[in-house]
Amino acid sequence: MVTRLSFLGVIARVFMWAFLLALAVVVVYPLLWMTLNGFKTNAELFGDPFALPLDWSFGNYVKAWNRGVSDYLTTSVLVTLTSTVATVFISAWAAYGLTRVDIPLNKTLTAVILGGLMLAPTVALVPLVKLFQAMGLYNTFWALLILYTAFRIPFTTFLIRAYMIDLPREVDEAAEMDGAGRWTAFWRIILPMCKPILTSTVLLHILFTWNEYLFAMIFTSGSGVQTLPVGLTSLMSKHGTEYPVVFAGMVIAALPVVLLFFLGQRYIVKGLADGIGK
């Protein structure tokens, strides 16, 4: 009986590792294929798209960089960083008020904020375009900053609130006895205790903003404010015959977020497990 159970355990492990290996190939191979095609010429690409490049030159990457990818990258970095700081700070402050402060209609305010999770961005596109045009914000950096912040606050607040609920109330009482105000208690005590979930929300927001396409496509039309997803589409339409250059641009766009994900994936899992999983 023991031998049979051991044999079944070995079979189960073999199938598990085979599944994980197949999943890794499915995820990694498209990235590797895209990277290799960035080194080819058009003739090589159409001749045998799965062969190795004959000349390992970075010329296509240089062309992609000079044809606007550098500008798109700069815009994406600025929009991502500013919206991340704004979203996480506002959401953390809102979560603090909803969980640590006794305010009237607390549950109603919580329901209203979290109700934003049910608002589909596509439903609000037309009125938002009209509003931003009337305010002079259309096709500006501020349009993307406001949109990425506003539409991510409900989700980020939900995550941070779920974590703050389980923080001990004794720390608030101790801070009040030491003469600390709300702001001091929030900034110096509560936020450091929320480091795991804050790290998770920062990484999740970066991943969302970096790859977001709908808002970036509709609310920007000039090359000076276009982010990488929209900019790569423009690169393809302008230089569509040079597909290796397009692949090179895609690699440049994907590399930062891929590295960030692999470096921070354990923080994402830990923060979410410590928060919602409680």
Side-chain angles (χ1 to χ4, degrees):
M1 184 66 179
V2 176
T3 304
R4 182 179 179 183
L5 291 176
S6 301
F7 176 75
L8 292 177
V10 172
I11 295 298
R13 287 194 174 190
V14 170
F15 275 105
M16 182 188 69
W17 281 107
F19 172 75
L20 293 176
L21 181 61
L23 187 62
V25 171
V26 170
V27 173
V28 174
Y29 180 75
L31 297 176
L32 180 62
W33 181 81
M34 181 174 65
T35 303
L36 292 177
N37 282 332
F39 289 97
K40 296 180 180 180
T41 63
N42 260 351
E44 292 179 65
L45 178 61
F46 287 103
D48 190 352
F50 300 102
L52 292 176
L54 297 178
D55 181 17
W56 295 83
S57 171
F58 285 91
N60 292 325
Y61 290 87
V62 175
K63 286 182 181 179
W65 184 265
N66 293 332
R67 289 179 179 177
V69 171
S70 59
D71 296 331
Y72 306 141
L73 180 66
T74 301
T75 303
S76 288
V77 170
L78 291 175
V79 172
T80 300
L81 291 180
T82 52
S83 65
T84 299
V85 172
T87 301
V88 174
F89 177 77
I90 295 173
S91 300
W93 186 240
Y96 177 79
L98 294 173
T99 57
R100 322 299 290 186
V101 182
D102 295 326
I103 56 178
L105 302 176
N106 189 303
K107 293 184 178 179
T108 303
L109 291 174
T110 301
V112 170
I113 294 175
L114 299 184
L117 292 170
M118 296 180 288
L119 178 62
T122 52
V123 176
L125 285 179
V126 174
L128 282 174
V129 169
K130 296 283 187 181
L131 178 63
F132 278 42
Q133 287 176 340
M135 297 175 63
L137 295 176
Y138 184 79
N139 195 33
T140 65
F141 170 84
W142 293 103
L144 295 180
L145 175 59
I146 293 172
L147 290 169
Y148 291 158
T149 301
F151 276 90
R152 292 297 289 182
I153 282 178
F155 177 70
T156 309
T157 302
F158 168 73
L159 293 180
I160 300 176
R161 175 182 172 275
Y163 191 92
M164 283 188 181
I165 287 176
D166 289 328
L167 295 181
R169 288 280 181 174
E170 289 78 9
V171 296
D172 299 83
E173 298 172 1
E176 186 176 354
M177 292 178 62
D178 290 338
R182 293 290 186 190
W183 172 256
T184 303
F186 167 73
W187 187 255
R188 295 190 175 182
I189 299 175
I190 300 300
L191 278 188
M193 295 178 66
C194 293
K195 184 178 178 181
I197 194 63
L198 292 178
T199 304
S200 298
T201 54
V202 166
L203 293 174
L204 289 173
H205 185 86
I206 291 175
L207 293 175
F208 162 79
T209 306
W210 192 266
N211 297 305
E212 201 282 327
Y213 180 78
L214 182 63
F215 283 150
M217 177 187 66
I218 294 176
F219 289 89
T220 61
S221 59
S223 59
V225 292
Q226 287 181 333
T227 57
L228 275 168
V230 180
L232 291 176
T233 304
S234 302
L235 182 68
M236 186 178 298
S237 62
K238 292 178 182 177
H239 311 283
T241 55
E242 295 187 75
Y243 289 102
V245 176
V246 177
F247 281 122
M250 294 169 63
V251 172
I252 295 174
L255 186 60
V257 73
V258 169
L259 292 176
L260 179 66
F261 176 77
F262 280 109
L263 292 175
Q265 60 179 331
R266 68 187 183 96
Y267 297 103
I268 296 178
V269 175
K270 184 178 185 302
L272 295 179
D274 290 345
I276 300 176
K278 288 185 178 180

